[in-house]
Amino acid sequence: MRTGVYPGSFDPATNGHMDIIRRSAQLVDHLIVGVLNNSQKNPLLDLEERVGLLRELTADLGNVSVDSFSGLLVDFVSKKNANIIIRGFRAISDFEYELQLAQTNYSLCPNTETIFLVSRNEFSYLSSTIVKEVARYHGNVGNMVPRQVQDILMDKFKEQAGGNEG
């Protein structure tokens, strides 16, 4: 069985992430979306929100599951009995970093392969950072994220604005 892991922080999940998930699900028997719990970062959405959203967004994909992890990706991949890591990149500027990660992962776990999926043109500018910045200033992110994510972002930044008034 070909089991793949698509890792990321997904803070928040974008239409670009969802495109990679849908395309990856066609390449493997089972796709695990691995949501990174990075203690070094202060995410906008907490881990439970990110996992819950992704479970909702992938509910129609029968071979996709969502789980969280911390620590080394290769440890998570091994724990899940996966043999493929799927990474997406948007531009050539992502390639050097992704290549270093793939080579490091291969040196730590030689039985795991990394597959790169290139972002579709319409999603090549998208990043979670850009989405959060646009949403923070109440810009329209409707073409950048699924509706469920847009609703949560609107609520989050409404809360923050309300907390800053006084």
Side-chain angles (χ1 to χ4, degrees), residues 33-102:
V33 179
V35 182
L36 177 62
N37 183 21
N38 186 342
S39 61
Q40 304 295 337
K41 290 189 175 182
N42 186 20
L44 176 66
L45 305 178
D46 67 35
L47 184 63
E48 293 77 24
E49 286 175 304
R50 291 179 279 148
V51 168
L53 264 174
L54 282 161
R55 284 183 177 150
E56 183 179 339
L57 294 169
T58 60
D60 64 319
L61 301 172
N63 67 332
V64 175
S65 62
V66 180
D67 202 354
S68 63
F69 74 100
S70 58
L72 291 175
L73 172 59
V74 291
D75 291 341
F76 178 70
V77 168
S78 294
K79 177 181 163 191
K80 295 295 184 176
N81 295 314
N83 49 3
I84 299 168
I85 297 170
I86 299 170
R87 300 289 296 177
F89 65 90
R90 300 171 295 237
I92 195 68
S93 57
D94 292 342
F95 185 74
E96 186 175 350
Y97 174 72
E98 292 295 340
L99 180 62
Q100 287 176 322
L101 279 180

Side-chain angles (χ1 to χ4, degrees), residues 11-14 44-45 125-162 164:
D11 184 41
T14 68
L44 176 66
L45 305 178
Y125 69 96
L126 277 180
S127 71
S128 294
T129 302
I130 287 173
V131 167
K132 286 185 284 194
E133 191 69 10
V134 172
R136 178 174 283 113
Y137 294 103
H138 309 291
N140 183 357
V141 294
N143 64 336
M144 300 176 189
V145 296
R147 181 69 190 178
Q148 299 93 318
V149 175
Q150 182 181 9
D151 292 344
I152 285 179
L153 289 175
M154 288 170 50
D155 288 344
K156 287 279 183 187
F157 289 115
K158 196 180 299 178
E159 288 171 17
Q160 287 182 4
N164 290 336

